[in-house]
């Protein structure tokens, strides 16, 4: 069972307190809400068109880094968050060193 | 890793998306948002849905500077720059990578917290970082606190 990575509490005076776990996408770092008692296998995607405001969707998993990912990153291409951040940071430092920023 | 608290408000009547931004400065470091509490402070008479979002940004908004305080008083002063009471959004906010989206009734309060190592991360690039806001521009008033590490 995946360990808890994030936790969300919504306190609404008009309704019950909602508590949900969130999972972090290993590719982009986004946290997605997961359906309770599904071991992170079902994501809850905000969608105002459906009752309750959430659409249930099967979760995604990267077979290369063996970790859960968000649906946006479910493209078959594996680039972990750390590599994306390093690329972004090194690009900026190269441009700065070249006097382009 | 020192942890900082950034209590923020949005009290102006400007119609904007952003509520808070935390950006790296010239001495760069990644900021890691691990706890967020947000409440709509308006006297909302009718139900309405707000989509609260956290996005990566690559530029600064126009607003009031705030000084994040170290949670442990023995820690050094925060190196990141933060702004609230935003009056003009950063151009990069709308298209920034979305890291969290929580839709809820405007009368509700929400808080989100991350486990150690699972925080929302902003790049260590000058004037890059994280921003808390809403998905549709609003004149409503908000208050809350963001906790982050750097």
């Amino acid at each position: 069972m995946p360990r808890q990575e994030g936790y969300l509490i919504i306190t609404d005076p008009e309704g019950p307190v909602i508590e949900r776990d969130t999972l972090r996408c290993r590719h982009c770092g986004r946290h997605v809400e997961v359906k309770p008692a599904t071991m992170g296998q079902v994501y809850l995607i905000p969608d105002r068109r459906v009752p309750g405001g959430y659409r249930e969707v099967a979760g995604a998993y990267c077979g290369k880094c063996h970790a859960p990912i968000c649906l946006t990153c479910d493209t078959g291409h594996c680039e972990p968050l750390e590599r994306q951040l390093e690329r972004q940071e090194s690009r900026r430092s190269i441009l700065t060193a070249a006097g382009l920023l | 890793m020192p942890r900082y608290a950034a209590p923020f408000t949005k009290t102006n009547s400007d119609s904007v998306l952003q509520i808070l931004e935390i950006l790296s400065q010239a001495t760069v470091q990644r900021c890691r948002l691990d706890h967020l509490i947000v409440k709509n402070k308006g006297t909302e008479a009718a139900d309405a849905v707000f989509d609260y979002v956290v996005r990566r940004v690559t530029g600064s908004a126009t607003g009031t500077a705030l000084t994040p305080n170290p949670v442990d008083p023995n820690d050094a002063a925060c190196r990141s720059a933060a702004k609230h009471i935003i009056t003009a959004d950063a151009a990069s906010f709308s298209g920034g990578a979305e890291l969290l989206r929580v839709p809820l009734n405007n009368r509700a309060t929400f808080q989100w917290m991350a486990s150690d190592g699972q925080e929302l991360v902003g790049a260590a690039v000058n004037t890059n970082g994280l921003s808390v806001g809403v998905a549709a521009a609003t004149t409503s008033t908000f208050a809350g606190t963001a906790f982050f590490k750097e």
Side-chain angles (χ1 to χ4, degrees):
Chain A
M1 181 174 173
R3 67 194 180 102
Q4 185 187 63
E5 300 182 345
Y7 191 59
L8 179 70
I9 304 170
I10 298 174
T11 310
D12 189 338
E14 311 291 328
V17 174
I18 297 169
E19 300 176 63
R20 288 206 185 105
D21 290 341
T22 61
L23 272 181
R24 189 174 80 142
C25 171
R26 295 303 189 282
H27 288 180
C28 68
R30 178 187 184 131
H31 273 254
V32 292
E33 292 178 53
V34 295
K35 186 179 179 183
T38 61
M39 294 167 59
Q41 301 297 307
V42 178
Y43 294 170
L44 294 173
I45 307 299
D47 187 343
R48 292 183 195 175
R49 294 168 299 178
V50 299
Y54 285 91
R55 191 162 35 93
E56 294 183 11
V57 181
Y61 190 82
C62 176
K64 291 181 181 169
C65 55
H66 299 290
I69 54 176
C70 71
L71 300 177
T72 308
C73 292
D74 189 17
T75 60
H77 172 68
C78 177
E79 186 176 26
L81 175 64
E82 187 61 32
R83 196 180 303 161
Q84 289 186 43
L85 288 170
E86 284 173 0
R87 183 164 46 80
Q88 192 178 342
E89 290 160 359
S90 63
R91 179 176 177 273
R92 187 81 179 196
S93 60
I94 289 168
L95 292 174
T96 304
L100 298 173
L101 284 177
Chain B
M1 191 177 285
R3 193 160 179 259
Y4 300 90
F8 59 86
T9 56
K10 176 184 178 296
T11 55
N12 58 305
S13 58
D14 293 285
S15 183
V16 292
L17 297 165
Q18 286 181 267
I19 302 171
L20 169 76
E21 68 172 21
I22 303 164
L23 303 182
S24 177
Q25 295 300 282
T27 306
V28 296
Q29 73 284 311
R30 291 178 182 172
C31 68
R32 299 168 184 275
L33 182 69
D34 65 3
H35 194 165
L36 178 65
I37 306 165
V38 184
K39 171 75 176 98
N40 182 322
K41 285 177 66 188
T43 50
E44 307 295 346
D47 289 332
V49 175
F50 276 101
D51 281 19
Y52 294 98
V53 294
V54 179
R55 291 179 181 154
R56 288 201 185 96
V57 286
T58 56
S60 184
T62 306
T64 304
L66 73 89
T67 305
N69 293 308
V71 173
D72 182 340
N74 282 332
D75 283 334
C78 184
R79 289 184 292 172
S80 298
K83 278 183 191 170
H84 66 157
I85 315 177
I86 308 288
T87 55
D89 292 316
S92 61
F93 182 76
S94 293
E98 194 167 289
L99 302 178
L100 185 71
R101 177 179 284 248
V102 183
L104 65 154
N105 192 320
N106 54 357
R107 284 193 281 260
T109 301
F110 96 90
Q111 63 172 308
W112 169 85
M113 57 217 87
S115 301
D116 208 23
Q118 306 299 329
E119 303 91 350
L120 305 179
V121 185
V125 177
N126 190 12
T127 69
N128 279 217
L130 301 171
S131 181
V132 178
V134 286
T138 178
T139 56
S140 281
T141 58
F142 300 91
T145 304
F147 294 89
F148 63 97
K149 302 170 188 164
E150 64 172 30

